[in-house]
Coordinates of all heavy atoms in Angstrom, one line a residue:
I1 N 48.6 15.7 57.0 CA 48.5 15.9 58.5 C 49.2 17.2 58.8 O 50.4 17.3 59.1 CB 49.2 14.7 59.2 CG1 48.5 13.4 58.8 CG2 49.1 14.9 60.7 CD1 48.9 12.2 59.5
M2 N 48.4 18.2 58.7 CA 48.9 19.6 58.8 C 48.9 20.1 60.2 O 47.9 19.9 61.0 CB 48.1 20.5 57.9 CG 48.7 21.9 57.8 SD 47.8 22.8 56.5 CE 46.3 23.1 57.3
G3 N 49.9 20.8 60.7 CA 49.9 21.4 62.0 C 50.3 20.5 63.2 O 50.1 20.9 64.3
L4 N 50.7 19.3 62.9 CA 51.0 18.3 64.0 C 52.5 18.4 64.2 O 53.2 18.7 63.3 CB 50.5 16.9 63.6 CG 49.1 16.7 63.5 CD1 48.8 15.2 63.1 CD2 48.3 17.0 64.8
S5 N 52.9 18.0 65.4 CA 54.3 17.9 65.8 C 54.9 16.7 65.1 O 54.1 15.7 64.7 CB 54.5 17.9 67.3 OG 54.0 16.6 67.8
I6 N 56.2 16.7 65.1 CA 56.9 15.5 64.6 C 56.5 14.2 65.4 O 56.4 13.2 64.8 CB 58.4 15.7 64.6 CG1 58.8 16.7 63.5 CG2 59.2 14.4 64.4 CD1 60.3 17.1 63.5
R7 N 56.4 14.4 66.7 CA 56.0 13.2 67.6 C 54.7 12.7 67.1 O 54.5 11.4 67.0 CB 56.0 13.7 69.0 CG 55.7 12.6 70.0 CD 55.9 13.0 71.4 NE 55.0 14.1 71.7 CZ 53.7 14.0 72.2 NH1 53.3 12.7 72.4 NH2 53.0 15.0 72.4
H8 N 53.7 13.6 66.8 CA 52.3 13.0 66.4 C 52.4 12.4 65.1 O 51.7 11.4 64.9 CB 51.4 14.2 66.5 CG 51.0 14.6 67.8 ND1 51.4 15.7 68.4 CD2 50.1 14.0 68.7 CE1 50.9 15.9 69.6 NE2 50.1 14.8 69.8
V9 N 53.1 13.0 64.2 CA 53.2 12.4 62.8 C 53.9 11.0 62.9 O 53.5 10.0 62.3 CB 54.0 13.3 61.9 CG1 54.2 12.6 60.5 CG2 53.2 14.6 61.6
G10 N 55.0 10.9 63.7 CA 55.7 9.7 63.9 C 54.8 8.6 64.5 O 54.8 7.4 64.1
E11 N 54.0 9.0 65.4 CA 53.1 8.1 66.1 C 52.0 7.6 65.1 O 51.7 6.4 65.0 CB 52.4 8.7 67.3 CG 51.6 7.8 68.1 CD 51.0 8.5 69.4 OE1 51.9 9.2 70.0 OE2 49.8 8.4 69.6
R12 N 51.5 8.5 64.3 CA 50.5 8.2 63.3 C 51.0 7.2 62.3 O 50.3 6.3 61.9 CB 50.0 9.5 62.7 CG 49.1 9.3 61.4 CD 47.8 8.7 61.7 NE 47.0 8.6 60.5 CZ 47.1 7.6 59.6 NH1 47.9 6.6 59.7 NH2 46.3 7.6 58.5
F13 N 52.2 7.4 61.8 CA 52.7 6.5 60.8 C 53.7 5.4 61.3 O 54.3 4.7 60.6 CB 53.4 7.3 59.7 CG 52.5 8.2 58.9 CD1 52.4 9.6 59.2 CD2 51.7 7.6 58.0 CE1 51.5 10.3 58.4 CE2 50.8 8.4 57.2 CZ 50.7 9.8 57.4
Q14 N 53.8 5.3 62.7 CA 54.6 4.3 63.3 C 56.0 4.4 62.8 O 56.7 3.4 62.5 CB 54.0 2.9 63.0 CG 52.6 2.7 63.6 CD 52.6 2.8 65.1 OE1 53.3 2.0 65.8 NE2 51.8 3.7 65.7
Q15 N 56.6 5.6 62.9 CA 58.0 5.8 62.6 C 58.6 6.6 63.7 O 57.9 7.3 64.5 CB 58.1 6.7 61.3 CG 57.6 6.0 60.0 CD 58.3 4.7 59.7 OE1 59.5 4.7 59.8 NE2 57.6 3.7 59.2
S16 N 59.9 6.6 63.8 CA 60.6 7.3 64.8 C 60.6 8.8 64.5 O 60.5 9.2 63.3 CB 62.1 6.8 65.0 OG 62.8 7.2 63.8
N17 N 60.8 9.6 65.6 CA 60.9 11.1 65.3 C 62.0 11.4 64.4 O 61.9 12.3 63.6 CB 61.1 11.8 66.7 CG 59.9 11.6 67.5 OD1 58.8 11.2 67.1 ND2 60.1 12.0 68.8
E18 N 63.1 10.7 64.5 CA 64.3 11.0 63.6 C 63.9 10.7 62.2 O 64.3 11.5 61.3 CB 65.5 10.1 64.1 CG 66.7 10.3 63.2 CD 67.7 9.2 63.3 OE1 67.5 8.3 64.1 OE2 68.7 9.3 62.6
T19 N 63.2 9.7 61.9 CA 62.8 9.3 60.5 C 61.9 10.4 60.0 O 62.1 10.9 58.8 CB 62.1 7.9 60.4 OG1 63.1 7.0 60.9 CG2 61.7 7.6 59.0
V20 N 60.9 10.8 60.7 CA 60.0 11.8 60.3 C 60.7 13.1 60.0 O 60.6 13.8 59.0 CB 58.8 12.1 61.3 CG1 58.0 13.3 61.0 CG2 58.0 10.8 61.4
S21 N 61.6 13.5 60.9 CA 62.4 14.7 60.8 C 63.3 14.7 59.5 O 63.4 15.6 58.7 CB 63.2 15.0 62.0 OG 64.0 16.2 61.9
R22 N 63.9 13.6 59.3 CA 64.8 13.4 58.2 C 64.1 13.6 56.9 O 64.5 14.3 56.0 CB 65.5 12.0 58.3 CG 66.6 11.8 57.2 CD 67.4 10.6 57.3 NE 67.3 9.8 58.5 CZ 66.7 8.6 58.6 NH1 66.1 8.0 57.6 NH2 66.6 8.0 59.8
Y23 N 62.9 12.9 56.7 CA 62.2 13.0 55.5 C 61.5 14.3 55.3 O 61.3 14.8 54.2 CB 61.1 11.8 55.4 CG 61.8 10.6 55.0 CD1 62.3 9.6 55.9 CD2 62.1 10.3 53.6 CE1 62.9 8.5 55.5 CE2 62.8 9.2 53.2 CZ 63.2 8.2 54.1 OH 63.9 7.1 53.8
F24 N 61.1 15.0 56.4 CA 60.6 16.3 56.3 C 61.6 17.2 55.7 O 61.4 18.0 54.8 CB 60.1 16.8 57.7 CG 59.7 18.3 57.7 CD1 58.5 18.6 57.2 CD2 60.6 19.2 58.1 CE1 58.1 19.9 57.2 CE2 60.2 20.6 58.0 CZ 59.0 20.9 57.6
H25 N 62.8 17.1 56.2 CA 63.9 18.0 55.7 C 64.3 17.6 54.2 O 64.6 18.6 53.5 CB 65.2 17.9 56.6 CG 64.9 18.6 57.9 ND1 65.0 20.0 58.0 CD2 64.7 18.2 59.1 CE1 64.8 20.3 59.2 NE2 64.6 19.3 59.9
K26 N 64.2 16.4 53.8 CA 64.4 16.0 52.5 C 63.4 16.6 51.6 O 63.7 17.1 50.5 CB 64.4 14.5 52.3 CG 65.7 13.8 52.8 CD 65.6 12.3 52.5 CE 66.8 11.6 52.9 NZ 66.8 10.2 52.7
I27 N 62.1 16.5 51.9 CA 61.1 17.2 51.1 C 61.2 18.6 51.1 O 61.0 19.2 50.0 CB 59.7 16.7 51.7 CG1 59.5 15.3 51.6 CG2 58.6 17.5 51.0 CD1 59.5 14.7 50.2
L28 N 61.5 19.3 52.2 CA 61.7 20.7 52.2 C 62.9 21.1 51.2 O 62.8 22.1 50.5 CB 62.0 21.2 53.7 CG 62.0 22.7 53.9 CD1 60.6 23.2 53.6 CD2 62.4 22.9 55.3
F29 N 63.9 20.3 51.2 CA 65.0 20.6 50.4 C 64.6 20.4 48.9 O 64.9 21.3 48.1 CB 66.2 19.7 50.7 CG 67.4 19.8 49.8 CD1 68.2 20.9 49.9 CD2 67.7 18.9 48.8 CE1 69.3 21.1 49.2 CE2 68.8 19.0 48.0 CZ 69.6 20.2 48.2
I30 N 63.9 19.4 48.6 CA 63.4 19.2 47.2 C 62.5 20.3 46.8 O 62.6 20.8 45.6 CB 62.6 17.8 47.1 CG1 63.7 16.7 47.2 CG2 61.9 17.7 45.8 CD1 63.0 15.3 47.5
F31 N 61.6 20.8 47.6 CA 60.8 21.9 47.3 C 61.5 23.2 47.0 O 61.0 24.1 46.3 CB 59.7 22.2 48.3 CG 58.6 21.2 48.3 CD1 57.7 21.1 49.3 CD2 58.4 20.3 47.2 CE1 56.7 20.2 49.3 CE2 57.4 19.4 47.2 CZ 56.5 19.3 48.3
S32 N 62.7 23.4 47.6 CA 63.5 24.5 47.4 C 64.4 24.5 46.2 O 65.1 25.5 45.8 CB 64.4 24.8 48.6 OG 65.3 23.9 48.8
L33 N 64.5 23.3 45.5 CA 65.4 23.2 44.3 C 64.7 23.8 43.1 O 63.5 24.1 43.0 CB 65.7 21.7 44.0 CG 66.5 21.0 45.0 CD1 66.7 19.6 44.7 CD2 67.9 21.7 45.1
S34 N 65.5 24.1 42.1 CA 65.1 24.8 40.9 C 63.9 24.2 40.1 O 63.0 25.0 39.9 CB 66.3 24.9 39.9 OG 65.9 25.6 38.8
P35 N 63.8 23.0 39.9 CA 62.7 22.5 39.1 C 61.3 22.8 39.7 O 60.4 23.3 39.1 CB 62.9 21.0 38.9 CG 64.3 20.8 39.2 CD 64.8 21.9 40.1
F36 N 61.2 22.5 41.0 CA 60.0 22.8 41.7 C 59.8 24.3 41.9 O 58.8 24.9 41.6 CB 59.9 22.0 43.0 CG 58.6 22.3 43.7 CD1 57.5 21.5 43.5 CD2 58.5 23.3 44.6 CE1 56.3 21.7 44.1 CE2 57.3 23.5 45.3 CZ 56.2 22.7 45.0
Y37 N 60.8 24.9 42.5 CA 60.7 26.3 42.9 C 60.4 27.2 41.8 O 59.6 28.1 41.9 CB 62.0 26.7 43.7 CG 61.9 28.0 44.4 CD1 61.3 28.0 45.7 CD2 62.3 29.2 43.9 CE1 61.2 29.2 46.4 CE2 62.2 30.4 44.5 CZ 61.7 30.4 45.8 OH 61.5 31.6 46.5
S38 N 61.2 27.1 40.7 CA 61.1 28.0 39.6 C 59.7 27.8 38.8 O 59.3 28.7 38.2 CB 62.2 27.8 38.6 OG 62.3 26.5 38.1
T39 N 59.1 26.6 39.0 CA 57.9 26.4 38.3 C 56.7 26.8 39.1 O 55.8 27.4 38.6 CB 57.7 24.8 38.1 OG1 58.8 24.3 37.3 CG2 56.4 24.5 37.3
F40 N 56.7 26.7 40.4 CA 55.5 26.9 41.3 C 55.7 28.1 42.2 O 54.6 28.6 42.8 CB 55.2 25.7 42.1 CG 54.8 24.5 41.3 CD1 55.7 23.5 41.1 CD2 53.6 24.5 40.7 CE1 55.4 22.4 40.4 CE2 53.2 23.4 39.9 CZ 54.1 22.3 39.8
V41 N 56.8 28.7 42.3 CA 57.0 29.9 43.2 C 57.4 31.1 42.4 O 58.4 31.0 41.6 CB 58.0 29.6 44.3 CG1 58.2 30.8 45.2 CG2 57.6 28.4 45.1
W42 N 56.7 32.2 42.5 CA 57.2 33.4 41.9 C 56.9 34.6 42.8 O 55.9 34.6 43.5 CB 56.5 33.6 40.5 CG 55.0 33.7 40.6 CD1 54.2 34.9 40.7 CD2 54.1 32.6 40.5 NE1 52.9 34.6 40.7 CE2 52.8 33.2 40.6 CE3 54.2 31.3 40.4 CZ2 51.7 32.4 40.6 CZ3 53.0 30.5 40.4 CH2 51.8 31.1 40.5
L43 N 57.8 35.6 42.7 CA 57.6 36.8 43.5 C 56.8 37.8 42.7 O 57.0 37.9 41.5 CB 59.0 37.3 44.0 CG 59.8 36.3 44.8 CD1 61.2 36.9 45.1 CD2 59.1 36.0 46.1
P44 N 56.0 38.6 43.4 CA 55.3 39.6 42.7 C 56.1 40.8 42.3 O 57.3 40.9 42.8 CB 54.2 40.0 43.7 CG 54.9 39.8 45.0 CD 55.7 38.6 44.8
A45 N 55.6 41.6 41.4 CA 56.3 42.8 41.1 C 56.4 43.8 42.3 O 55.6 43.7 43.2 CB 55.6 43.5 39.9
A46 N 57.2 44.8 42.2 CA 57.4 45.7 43.4 C 56.1 46.5 43.7 O 55.8 46.8 44.8 CB 58.5 46.6 43.1
N47 N 55.3 46.8 42.6 CA 54.2 47.6 42.8 C 52.9 46.7 42.8 O 51.8 47.2 42.6 CB 54.0 48.6 41.6 CG 53.9 47.9 40.3 OD1 54.1 46.7 40.2 ND2 53.7 48.7 39.2
D48 N 53.0 45.4 43.1 CA 51.9 44.5 43.1 C 51.2 44.4 44.5 O 51.2 43.3 45.1 CB 52.4 43.2 42.6 CG 51.2 42.3 42.2 OD1 50.1 42.7 42.1 OD2 51.5 41.0 42.0
V49 N 50.8 45.6 45.0 CA 50.1 45.5 46.3 C 48.6 45.9 46.0 O 48.4 46.8 45.2 CB 50.7 46.6 47.3 CG1 49.9 46.6 48.6 CG2 52.2 46.2 47.5
Q50 N 47.7 45.3 46.5 CA 46.3 45.5 46.3 C 46.0 47.0 46.7 O 46.4 47.4 47.8 CB 45.4 44.5 47.1 CG 45.5 43.1 46.6 CD 44.5 42.2 47.3 OE1 43.7 42.6 48.1 NE2 44.7 40.9 46.9
E51 N 45.1 47.6 45.9 CA 44.7 48.9 46.2 C 44.0 49.0 47.6 O 44.1 50.1 48.3 CB 43.7 49.4 45.1 CG 44.4 49.6 43.8 CD 45.5 50.7 43.8 OE1 45.3 51.7 44.5 OE2 46.5 50.5 43.2
K52 N 43.2 48.0 48.0 CA 42.6 48.0 49.2 C 43.5 48.2 50.4 O 43.2 48.8 51.4 CB 41.8 46.7 49.3 CG 41.0 46.5 50.6 CD 40.2 45.2 50.6 CE 39.4 45.0 51.8 NZ 38.7 43.8 51.8
I53 N 44.7 47.6 50.3 CA 45.7 47.7 51.3 C 46.5 49.0 51.2 O 46.8 49.7 52.2 CB 46.6 46.5 51.3 CG1 45.9 45.2 51.7 CG2 47.9 46.7 52.2 CD1 46.6 43.9 51.6
M54 N 47.0 49.3 49.9 CA 47.8 50.4 49.7 C 47.1 51.7 50.1 O 47.7 52.6 50.6 CB 48.3 50.5 48.3 CG 49.3 51.6 48.0 SD 50.0 51.5 46.4 CE 51.1 50.2 46.6
G55 N 45.8 51.8 49.8 CA 45.1 53.1 50.0 C 44.6 53.2 51.4 O 44.0 54.3 51.8
N56 N 44.8 52.2 52.3 CA 44.3 52.3 53.6 C 45.4 52.5 54.6 O 46.3 51.5 54.8 CB 43.5 51.1 54.0 CG 42.7 51.1 55.3 OD1 43.0 51.9 56.2 ND2 41.6 50.4 55.3
S57 N 45.5 53.5 55.4 CA 46.6 53.7 56.3 C 46.6 52.8 57.5 O 47.5 52.6 58.2 CB 46.6 55.2 56.8 OG 45.4 55.4 57.5
R58 N 45.4 52.1 57.6 CA 45.3 51.1 58.7 C 46.2 49.9 58.4 O 46.7 49.2 59.3 CB 43.9 50.8 58.9 CG 43.6 49.9 60.1 CD 42.1 49.7 60.3 NE 41.8 48.4 60.9 CZ 40.7 47.7 60.7 NH1 39.8 48.2 59.9 NH2 40.6 46.6 61.3
F59 N 46.2 49.5 57.1 CA 46.8 48.3 56.7 C 48.2 48.4 56.1 O 49.1 47.6 56.3 CB 45.9 47.5 55.7 CG 44.6 47.1 56.2 CD1 43.5 47.5 55.6 CD2 44.5 46.2 57.4 CE1 42.2 47.1 56.1 CE2 43.3 45.9 57.8 CZ 42.2 46.4 57.2
H60 N 48.4 49.5 55.3 CA 49.6 49.6 54.5 C 50.9 49.6 55.3 O 51.9 48.9 54.9 CB 49.6 50.8 53.6 CG 50.7 50.8 52.6 ND1 51.8 51.6 52.8 CD2 50.9 50.1 51.4 CE1 52.6 51.4 51.8 NE2 52.1 50.4 51.0
P61 N 51.0 50.2 56.5 CA 52.3 50.2 57.2 C 52.7 48.8 57.6 O 53.9 48.5 57.6 CB 52.0 51.0 58.5 CG 50.9 51.9 58.1 CD 50.0 51.1 57.1
Y62 N 51.7 47.9 57.8 CA 52.1 46.5 58.2 C 52.3 45.6 57.0 O 53.0 44.6 57.1 CB 50.9 46.0 59.1 CG 50.7 46.9 60.3 CD1 49.6 47.7 60.3 CD2 51.6 46.9 61.4 CE1 49.3 48.5 61.4 CE2 51.3 47.7 62.4 CZ 50.3 48.5 62.4 OH 50.0 49.4 63.5
F63 N 51.7 45.9 55.9 CA 51.8 45.0 54.7 C 52.6 45.6 53.5 O 52.7 45.0 52.5 CB 50.4 44.7 54.2 CG 49.6 43.8 55.1 CD1 48.6 44.4 55.9 CD2 49.9 42.5 55.2 CE1 47.9 43.6 56.8 CE2 49.2 41.7 56.1 CZ 48.2 42.3 56.9
K64 N 53.3 46.8 53.8 CA 54.0 47.4 52.7 C 55.1 46.5 52.1 O 55.4 46.6 50.9 CB 54.5 48.8 53.1 CG 55.6 48.7 54.2 CD 56.1 50.1 54.5 CE 57.1 50.0 55.6 NZ 57.6 51.3 55.9
D65 N 55.8 45.7 52.9 CA 56.8 44.8 52.5 C 56.4 43.4 52.3 O 57.3 42.5 52.1 CB 58.0 44.9 53.4 CG 58.6 46.3 53.6 OD1 58.7 47.0 52.5 OD2 59.0 46.7 54.6
A66 N 55.2 43.1 52.4 CA 54.7 41.7 52.2 C 54.8 41.3 50.7 O 54.7 42.1 49.9 CB 53.2 41.6 52.6
I67 N 55.0 40.0 50.5 CA 55.1 39.5 49.2 C 54.0 38.5 48.9 O 54.2 37.5 48.3 CB 56.5 38.8 48.9 CG1 56.8 37.7 50.0 CG2 57.7 39.9 49.0 CD1 58.0 36.9 49.6
R68 N 52.8 38.8 49.2 CA 51.6 38.1 48.9 C 51.5 36.7 49.5 O 50.9 35.8 48.9 CB 51.4 38.1 47.5 CG 51.1 39.5 46.8 CD 50.9 39.4 45.4 NE 49.7 38.7 45.2 CZ 49.1 38.5 44.0 NH1 49.7 39.0 43.0 NH2 48.0 37.8 43.9
A69 N 52.1 36.5 50.6 CA 52.0 35.2 51.3 C 50.5 34.9 51.8 O 50.1 33.8 51.9 CB 52.9 35.0 52.4
I70 N 49.8 36.0 52.0 CA 48.4 35.8 52.5 C 47.5 35.3 51.5 O 46.7 34.4 51.7 CB 47.9 37.2 53.1 CG1 48.7 37.5 54.3 CG2 46.4 37.1 53.4 CD1 48.5 38.9 54.9
D71 N 47.6 35.9 50.3 CA 46.6 35.5 49.2 C 47.1 34.8 48.1 O 46.4 34.4 47.2 CB 45.8 36.8 48.8 CG 46.7 37.7 48.0 OD1 48.0 37.5 48.1 OD2 46.3 38.6 47.4
G72 N 48.4 34.3 48.1 CA 48.9 33.7 47.0 C 49.7 32.4 47.3 O 50.5 31.9 46.5
S73 N 49.4 31.8 48.5 CA 50.2 30.6 48.9 C 49.3 29.3 49.0 O 49.5 28.5 49.8 CB 50.9 30.9 50.2 OG 50.0 31.1 51.2
H74 N 48.4 29.2 48.1 CA 47.5 28.0 48.1 C 48.1 26.9 47.3 O 48.7 27.1 46.3 CB 46.1 28.4 47.5 CG 45.4 29.4 48.3 ND1 44.8 29.1 49.6 CD2 45.2 30.7 48.1 CE1 44.3 30.2 50.1 NE2 44.5 31.2 49.2
I75 N 48.0 25.7 47.8 CA 48.5 24.5 47.1 C 47.3 23.6 46.9 O 46.6 23.3 47.9 CB 49.6 23.8 48.0 CG1 50.8 24.7 48.2 CG2 50.0 22.5 47.3 CD1 51.8 24.2 49.1
R76 N 47.1 23.2 45.6 CA 46.0 22.3 45.4 C 46.2 21.0 45.9 O 47.3 20.5 45.8 CB 45.8 22.3 43.9 CG 45.3 23.5 43.2 CD 45.1 23.4 41.8 NE 44.8 24.6 41.1 CZ 44.8 24.9 39.9 NH1 45.2 23.9 39.0 NH2 44.6 26.1 39.4
A77 N 45.2 20.4 46.5 CA 45.3 19.1 47.1 C 43.9 18.4 47.0 O 42.9 19.1 46.9 CB 45.7 19.2 48.5
A78 N 44.0 17.1 46.9 CA 42.7 16.3 46.7 C 42.8 15.2 47.7 O 43.8 14.5 47.8 CB 42.5 15.8 45.3
L79 N 41.7 15.0 48.4 CA 41.5 13.9 49.3 C 40.8 12.7 48.7 O 40.0 12.9 47.7 CB 40.7 14.2 50.5 CG 41.3 15.3 51.5 CD1 40.3 15.8 52.5 CD2 42.5 14.6 52.2
A80 N 41.0 11.5 49.2 CA 40.3 10.4 48.7 C 38.7 10.6 49.2 O 38.6 11.2 50.3 CB 40.8 9.1 49.3
V81 N 37.9 10.2 48.5 CA 36.4 10.4 48.8 C 36.1 9.9 50.2 O 35.4 10.6 50.9 CB 35.5 9.7 47.8 CG1 34.1 9.8 48.1 CG2 35.8 10.2 46.4
E82 N 36.6 8.8 50.6 CA 36.2 8.3 52.0 C 36.9 9.2 53.1 O 36.4 9.1 54.2 CB 36.7 6.8 52.1 CG 38.2 6.6 52.0 CD 38.6 6.3 50.6 OE1 37.8 6.4 49.6 OE2 39.8 6.0 50.4
D83 N 37.9 10.0 52.8 CA 38.5 10.9 53.8 C 37.8 12.2 53.9 O 38.1 13.0 54.9 CB 40.0 11.0 53.5 CG 40.8 9.8 53.7 OD1 40.3 8.9 54.5 OD2 41.8 9.6 53.1
C84 N 37.1 12.6 52.9 CA 36.5 13.9 52.9 C 35.7 14.4 54.1 O 35.8 15.4 54.6 CB 35.7 14.1 51.6 SG 36.7 14.2 50.1
P85 N 34.7 13.5 54.6 CA 33.9 13.9 55.8 C 34.8 14.3 57.0 O 34.4 15.2 57.7 CB 33.1 12.7 56.1 CG 33.0 12.0 54.8 CD 34.4 12.2 54.1
A86 N 36.0 13.8 57.2 CA 36.8 14.1 58.4 C 37.4 15.5 58.2 O 37.8 16.1 59.3 CB 37.9 13.1 58.4
Y87 N 37.4 16.1 57.1 CA 38.0 17.4 56.8 C 37.1 18.5 56.6 O 37.5 19.6 56.3 CB 39.1 17.3 55.8 CG 40.3 16.4 56.1 CD1 40.3 15.0 55.8 CD2 41.3 17.0 56.9 CE1 41.4 14.3 56.2 CE2 42.4 16.2 57.2 CZ 42.4 14.8 56.9 OH 43.5 14.0 57.3
H88 N 35.8 18.3 56.6 CA 34.8 19.3 56.4 C 35.0 20.3 57.5 O 35.2 20.0 58.7 CB 33.4 18.7 56.4 CG 33.0 18.1 55.1 ND1 32.1 18.6 54.3 CD2 33.5 17.0 54.5 CE1 32.1 17.9 53.2 NE2 32.9 16.9 53.4
N89 N 34.8 21.6 57.2 CA 34.9 22.7 58.1 C 36.2 22.9 58.8 O 36.3 23.4 59.9 CB 33.7 22.7 59.1 CG 32.4 22.7 58.5 OD1 32.2 23.4 57.5 ND2 31.5 22.0 59.0
R90 N 37.3 22.4 58.2 CA 38.7 22.5 58.7 C 39.2 23.8 58.2 O 38.9 24.2 57.0 CB 39.6 21.3 58.4 CG 39.1 20.0 59.1 CD 39.3 20.1 60.5 NE 39.0 18.9 61.1 CZ 39.6 18.4 62.2 NH1 40.6 19.1 62.8 NH2 39.3 17.3 62.7
K91 N 40.2 24.4 58.8 CA 40.9 25.6 58.2 C 41.8 25.1 57.2 O 42.5 24.1 57.2 CB 41.6 26.3 59.4 CG 40.7 26.9 60.3 CD 41.4 27.7 61.4 CE 40.5 28.2 62.4 NZ 41.1 28.9 63.5

């Protein structure tokens, strides 16, 4: 349930806002710990900027300090077959 407020998530799962917030922070903390973070998150090398951006004065001033959050932050996920139609053409 991406992009929803705590209130909407709590309503969907019939939990209080405090419970949703507490578990969200627990998961966020777990994702920042060494076993997960060191396995799935890595920073690019200093010169790891795409030529398309580096060579274009229109883009480079804005993306010169970016660390590839635009093209490298995909997380694989799989839906149950019966849920797939609800998510077609979603961002």
Side-chain angles (χ1 to χ4, degrees):
I1 300 186
M2 190 171 73
L4 295 179
S5 68
I6 287 176
R7 185 175 57 91
H8 285 102
V9 173
E11 187 175 310
R12 164 67 175 86
F13 292 103
Q14 297 297 301
Q15 298 293 326
S16 71
N17 294 347
E18 179 194 356
T19 301
V20 172
S21 179
R22 186 175 346 112
Y23 280 96
F24 174 79
H25 287 285
K26 283 183 179 184
I27 295 298
L28 191 62
F29 180 73
I30 290 168
F31 284 168
S32 67
L33 292 178
S34 182
F36 181 87
Y37 192 84
S38 61
T39 303
F40 296 104
V41 177
W42 61 91
L43 298 175
N47 60 351
D48 196 14
V49 178
Q50 292 183 8
E51 292 297 324
K52 182 178 180 180
I53 292 173
M54 187 174 280
N56 190 334
S57 61
R58 182 174 154 210
F59 298 120
H60 190 259
Y62 304 103
F63 292 102
K64 66 181 178 179
D65 296 323
I67 56 172
R68 294 183 65 175
I70 292 173
D71 64 349
S73 60
H74 297 287
I75 299 172
R76 292 182 187 163
L79 292 169
V81 175
E82 60 271 6
D83 292 334
C84 287
Y87 292 93
H88 281 250
N89 298 323
R90 296 289 186 149
K91 293 181 181 178

